[in-house]
Amino acid sequence: MKDLGALLEERFGLSPKAIHLLEGYEDKTYRIDSLEGRKVLKTHTRKPGVIHHLTLENEFIQALDKSLPFDFPLPLKTTDGTKWEPYGQKLIRLLPFLEGDFLAEVPHTDKLLESLGTFLGKINKVGMSLTPETGLNSTPAWDLQHLPFHRQNLDALEDPKDRGLIEYYLLQYDQIVEPRRYSLRKCLIHNDANDWNVLTQEGKVSGIIDFGDMCYSWLINELAVA
């Protein structure tokens, strides 16, 4: 199997100078420093549903990039026009490196937080227009509409205080959310607007990265996660 440098040169037309592994919890992500500029390379394990997810993710990002004046990681194409490339047991995608400071790195002013709410509302409005015909398989661990999924993990917690806290919120879900579940609006949501995915410039939100947890879920969950 070719090394990443050779693959990037042959399939994406890049001339890599350095490849840096970035932090991540599942599939690997790399920062690519090349003569053509800085890029991001993401790997995806070939598992059931991954092609469907990546296809819908690309459609969502394209719609956002076309509709809104913010920065989104619009996938770059290979030399023959595809948006991902087989690489052993993985699929790889090349994305632009988006400039800006992460939300975690800047003071949280009222102006900044207001821009975050406005930004999420705008991307969700686009998401509502892209409701997938067949739905989107989501990972229960990361989709709040499946919160009771975590009951099976309670025994893994050794601290009874932690276990009791989670049991309390699961009960709140049963009593408050469950009776309303069929009245809650659903759409495609980013589902991971945490402070290490949201980018800022000049005191306002400027973009967002990492659509890997995107799902077709309750609209209100976007705000809950943020």
Side-chain angles (χ1 to χ4, degrees):
M1 187 168 63
K2 296 179 181 178
D3 63 37
L4 282 177
L7 185 68
L8 287 167
E9 186 171 359
E10 178 181 328
R11 298 296 293 141
F12 291 94
L14 289 185
S15 304
K17 297 188 295 181
I19 299 176
H20 306 275
L21 180 64
L22 303 178
E23 289 188 15
Y25 62 84
E26 190 172 355
D27 292 325
K28 292 182 178 180
T29 301
Y30 301 86
R31 191 189 79 207
I32 311 298
D33 296 332
S34 73
L35 295 179
E36 294 76 18
R38 185 168 286 178
K39 312 293 180 186
V40 172
L41 184 146
K42 293 182 71 72
T43 68
H44 306 274
T45 301
R46 293 195 190 190
K47 55 186 178 183
V50 67
I51 294 294
H52 177 58
H53 190 287
L54 291 179
T55 299
L56 192 55
E57 182 179 326
N58 289 342
E59 291 177 1
F60 192 14
I61 296 173
Q62 285 177 335
L64 292 171
D65 188 67
K66 182 179 180 180
S67 305
L68 301 176
F70 299 99
D71 295 329
F72 301 100
L74 189 64
L76 304 174
K77 295 181 180 180
T78 64
T79 52
D80 59 7
T82 60
K83 294 180 180 177
W84 51 73
E85 176 74 12
Y87 186 67
Q89 297 302 311
K90 304 279 188 178
L91 297 174
I92 66 171
R93 292 190 303 158
L94 191 66
L95 310 174
F97 183 90
L98 303 186
E99 300 294 338
D101 297 315
F102 287 114
L103 186 63
E105 301 173 317
V106 297
H108 289 183
T109 64
D110 290 346
K111 177 183 176 182
L112 176 60
L113 295 179
E114 182 179 343
S115 76
L116 172 61
T118 300
F119 170 75
L120 293 176
K122 288 181 177 180
I123 69 172
N124 290 152
K125 189 172 182 180
V126 174
M128 292 183 78
S129 69
L130 293 173
T131 302
E133 294 181 4
T134 58
L136 178 65
N137 293 329
S138 59
T139 303
W142 303 115
D143 185 348
L144 290 178
Q145 69 178 320
H146 303 304
L147 187 65
F149 167 86
H150 291 286
R151 279 196 169 90
Q152 67 183 6
N153 300 320
L154 285 173
D155 290 342
L157 295 170
E158 296 181 359
D159 189 331
K161 291 184 179 180
D162 288 343
R163 194 161 53 248
L165 183 64
I166 293 174
E167 287 174 338
Y168 169 78
Y169 281 108
L170 286 169
L171 181 61
Q172 294 296 299
Y173 177 95
D174 291 341
Q175 294 180 343
I176 299 173
V177 179
E178 186 65 31
R180 297 171 170 82
R181 64 177 297 119
Y182 295 109
S183 65
L184 297 174
R185 292 180 295 168
K186 297 180 75 171
C187 73
L188 280 180
I189 62 173
H190 178 278
N191 197 44
D192 198 13
N194 71 68
D195 49 6
W196 289 106
N197 282 336
V198 176
L199 291 165
T200 71
Q201 293 189 43
E202 300 179 355
K204 292 184 178 181
V205 169
S206 59
I208 196 166
I209 62 171
D210 194 354
F211 283 68
D213 291 332
M214 177 194 76
C215 59
Y216 181 63
S217 188
W218 297 328
L219 174 61
I220 193 64
N221 288 349
E222 191 83 280
L223 181 60
V225 172

